[in-house]
């Protein structure tokens, strides 16, 4: 009996040891699979965000006059190339470089990806966030198109992607900034409230930052020559509406990386469900916003005609509006947010035209004003009891104070720094192209070849 008992005990011990080994292997495989899934998800999402620059390029190229097509494309290429390099050297460190003893204003570690080698999972995060950074700067290029010198714009782009945008990111998304951090009590919040800042994919952090920079840029550089001369206004119509529409669809497509990708992971049920509701809201809001703008242009606003360009901007207005609250609101709330966003766009666009601010692509109305609405709407909508992270005032939540405070800080930070950068550039002649240059067109004046499209040649008949 004793021998049998010893044999049994030994067998059980060996079996338990083998089970532990197998469990360790399963846990290791599970960790590997989760890491792989997160990396695939993040690279896919980041690639979609990167593809949005093709959309910006098409939309802006179609919106300018024929003679400035190559010039605006050069600015788009400059934004991506220079913007990513600035993100590499300074931007990421200021945005997410959290030191051992962090402050509430700015990061200052991980310059040139120095410490990412100790946590290689952060490389995918660097790429995703870098694509966001370049997007903020691209927004500015469209507003200042056709009369802005490349050298002055490049200087502003470098400072936008190195400092202006990254600091706002640190405030909101680093987990240590004054808009959203964990307090000594262990509870989250901001410097003004027990509620943290809600901006899931960047209505404020990305779009409002770019929109404020855009309107400051448009005002400082001044309107295009003769832009508001009633006799010549028609000359400034978009020269290629098909490009505008294709660009809008490219942007909308890329937004499915922008918003759902902001889950930053895809290895568990919770993030999968979040990505799903975000995708639905990212579809519904632009649909209602685009139709709202289109119908108002048909039945209310002169000349009461089908305005395809306005339809496109309405769609983008809805996308910007839902970007911040997309993960914390239900679908019917997304409909309301999109509808109100479309109305905000119409009002802002009309006001800028009356004020004779020459914003070529309505960048401020789409990104600045609707970005503002996206931030503020997260303070009103989103039921805390639904477990989606909402904290809206309509349901007894207390996020509204933090949301309004964030709007104020973003306007002050981006507005003041943009003025400080752009006004000196204008005064020293680095920002605005001369009237003669504008009449000739930037493509003919400084590009080779001198036309964006080959001239039409009539086919010769064969005898």
């Amino acid at each position: 009996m004793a021998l049998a008992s010893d044999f049994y005990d030994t067998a059980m011990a060996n079996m338990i040891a083998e089970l532990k080994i197998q469990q360790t292997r399963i846990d290791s495989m599970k960790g590997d699979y989760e890491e792989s899934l997160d990396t695939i998800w993040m690279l896919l999402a980041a690639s979609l965000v990167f593809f949005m620059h093709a959309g910006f390029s098409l939309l802006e190229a179609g919106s300018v006059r024929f003679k400035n097509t190559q010039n605006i494309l050069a600015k788009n290429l400059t934004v991506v190339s220079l913007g990513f390099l600035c993100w590499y050297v300074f931007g990421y460190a200021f945005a997410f470089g959290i030191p051992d003893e962090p402050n509430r204003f700015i990061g200052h570690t991980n310059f040139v990806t120095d410490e990412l080698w100790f946590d290689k999972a952060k490389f995918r995060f660097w790429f995703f966030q870098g694509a966001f950074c370049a997007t903020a700067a691209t927004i500015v290029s469209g507003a200042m198109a056709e009369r802005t010198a490349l050298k002055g714009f490049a200087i502003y782009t470098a400072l936008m992607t190195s400092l202006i945008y990254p600091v706002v990111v640190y405030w909101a998304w680093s987990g240590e900034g004054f808009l959203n951090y964990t307090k000594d009590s262990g509870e989250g919040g901001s410097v003004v409230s027990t509620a943290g800042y809600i901006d899931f994919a960047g209505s404020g952090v990305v779009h409002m930052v770019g929109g404020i920079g855009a309107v400051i840029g448009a005002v400082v550089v001044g309107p295009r020559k003769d832009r508001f001369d009633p006799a010549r206004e028609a000359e400034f119509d978009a020269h290629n509406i098909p490009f505008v529409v294709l660009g809008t669809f490219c942007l909308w497509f890329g937004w499915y990386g922008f918003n759902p990708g902001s889950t930053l992971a895809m290895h568990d049920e919770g993030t999968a469900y979040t990505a799903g509701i975000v995708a639905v809201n990212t579809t519904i809001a632009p649909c209602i916003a685009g139709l709202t703008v289109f119908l108002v242009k048909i039945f209310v606003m002169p000349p009461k005609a089908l305005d395809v360009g306005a339809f496109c901007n309405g769609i983008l207005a809805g996308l910007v509006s839902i970007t911040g609250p997309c993960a914390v609101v239900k679908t019917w709330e997304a409909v309301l947010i999109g509808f109100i966003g479309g109305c905000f766009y119409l009002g802002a666009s009309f006001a800028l035209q009356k004020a004779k601010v020459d914003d070529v692509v309505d960048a401020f109305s789409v990104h600045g004003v609707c970005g503002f609405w996206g931030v503020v709407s997260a303070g009103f909508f989103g039921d805390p009891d639904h477990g989606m992270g909402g904290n809206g005032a309509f349901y007894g939540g207390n996020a509204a104070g933090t949301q309004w405070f964030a709007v104020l800080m973003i306007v002050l930070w981006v507005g003041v720094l943009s003025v400080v950068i752009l006004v000196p550039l204008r005064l020293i002649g680095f920002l605005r192209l001369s009237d003669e240059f504008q009449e000739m067109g930037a493509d003919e004046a400084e590009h080779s070849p001198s036309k964006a499209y080959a001239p039409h040649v009539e086919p010769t008949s064969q005898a």
Side-chain angles (χ1 to χ4, degrees):
M1 291 292 294
L3 181 62
S5 177
D6 291 343
F7 177 79
Y8 176 78
D9 290 343
T10 302
M12 287 300 295
N14 290 337
M15 184 180 296
I16 292 172
E18 182 63 27
L19 286 173
K20 288 182 178 179
I21 292 172
Q22 293 300 324
Q23 185 62 51
T24 300
R25 290 176 178 172
I26 290 171
D27 291 342
S28 177
M29 291 174 62
K30 182 174 180 291
D32 289 344
Y33 285 138
E34 288 179 352
E35 186 68 22
S36 299
L37 283 171
D38 289 347
T39 299
I40 291 169
W41 174 246
M42 289 296 295
L43 292 181
L44 173 62
S47 297
L48 287 172
V49 177
F50 190 93
F51 182 71
M52 290 175 74
H53 292 285
F56 279 117
S57 297
L58 280 168
L59 188 148
E60 292 177 17
S63 297
V64 300
R65 290 169 290 179
F66 168 82
K67 61 185 180 181
N68 293 307
T69 306
Q70 287 189 93
N71 190 256
I72 193 62
L73 292 175
K75 289 184 173 71
N76 277 271
L77 291 167
T78 298
V79 164
V80 176
S81 303
L82 181 59
F84 263 106
L85 288 175
C86 291
W87 180 251
Y88 169 68
V89 177
F90 298 109
Y92 183 85
F94 291 152
F96 295 105
I98 303 171
D100 293 334
E101 297 182 4
N103 60 71
R104 301 292 176 221
F105 186 77
I106 190 172
H108 52 82
T109 63
N110 290 328
F111 294 97
V112 295
T113 68
D114 182 44
E115 296 180 22
L116 269 62
W117 296 99
F118 301 110
D119 185 1
K120 294 184 176 64
K122 290 183 178 179
F123 280 110
R124 64 175 183 245
F125 183 72
W126 182 98
F127 177 41
F128 183 73
Q129 294 294 342
F132 273 50
C133 179
T135 298
T138 301
I139 292 168
V140 181
S141 67
M144 300 173 66
E146 297 201 276
R147 76 278 200 193
T148 304
L150 181 59
K151 56 187 175 184
F153 177 73
I155 292 170
Y156 181 77
T157 296
L159 292 168
M160 167 66 88
T161 52
S162 296
L163 179 65
I164 298 175
Y165 171 81
V167 169
V168 178
V169 171
Y170 185 86
W171 298 347
W173 288 344
S174 70
E176 296 292 344
F178 63 77
L179 291 179
N180 199 355
Y181 65 96
T182 302
K183 300 187 176 183
D184 294 336
S185 62
E187 298 179 352
S190 67
V191 294
V192 296
S193 172
T194 56
Y197 176 59
I198 299 172
D199 193 356
F200 186 75
S203 284
V205 174
V206 180
H207 295 282
M208 194 175 168
V209 168
I212 297 299
V215 72
I216 297 296
V219 170
V220 172
V221 76
R224 290 166 288 178
K225 182 180 181 296
D226 298 324
R227 169 63 182 89
F228 296 106
D229 180 350
R232 300 190 63 181
E233 280 190 349
E235 298 177 18
F236 294 88
D237 290 343
H239 91 276
N240 195 321
I241 293 298
F243 274 14
V244 173
V245 174
L246 286 173
T248 301
F249 274 118
C250 288
L251 287 167
W252 196 348
F253 179 69
W255 234 287
Y256 292 111
F258 206 97
N259 287 4
S262 291
T263 59
L264 305 180
M266 185 53 71
H267 66 260
D268 59 61
E269 188 178 74
T271 52
Y273 290 161
T274 298
I277 187 63
V278 167
V280 173
N281 287 339
T282 304
T283 304
I284 292 174
C287 290
I288 189 67
L291 286 171
T292 298
V293 171
F294 193 49
L295 292 173
V296 169
K297 287 287 188 176
I298 294 172
F299 296 109
V300 179
M301 297 182 74
K304 295 184 179 181
L306 305 181
D307 191 335
V308 174
F311 200 161
C312 290
N313 276 341
I315 288 169
L316 297 177
L319 287 165
V320 172
S321 298
I322 200 61
T323 292
C326 59
V328 302
V329 298
K330 290 195 169 183
T331 52
W332 68 267
E333 294 173 301
V335 172
L336 287 178
I337 291 169
F339 171 75
I340 296 172
C343 295
F344 266 111
Y345 161 73
L346 285 167
S349 178
F350 179 78
L352 282 191
Q353 290 180 35
K354 287 296 182 181
K356 296 187 177 180
V357 175
D358 186 12
D359 183 345
V360 179
V361 297
D362 268 346
F364 174 68
S365 303
V366 170
H367 299 277
V369 173
C370 292
F372 154 80
W373 166 236
V375 173
V376 171
S377 69
F380 295 129
F381 296 98
D383 190 342
D385 294 336
H386 288 160
M388 298 168 63
N391 195 13
F394 292 155
Y395 306 94
N398 65 337
T402 297
Q403 301 303 108
W404 281 99
F405 176 69
V407 166
L408 175 64
M409 293 306 300
I410 291 171
V411 169
L412 289 175
W413 173 254
V414 181
V416 170
L417 283 184
S418 294
V419 169
V420 168
I421 295 164
L422 292 170
V423 169
L425 289 174
R426 174 70 190 272
L427 293 176
I428 64 175
F430 272 38
L431 194 64
R432 183 176 174 85
L433 299 173
S434 67
D435 289 351
E436 294 77 14
F437 203 105
Q438 292 183 53
E439 285 286 358
M440 182 186 301
D443 286 5
E444 182 177 347
E446 60 181 359
H447 285 266
S448 177
S450 60
K451 291 184 176 63
Y453 312 105
H456 178 68
V457 178
E458 294 291 341
T460 56
S461 59
Q462 296 183 355

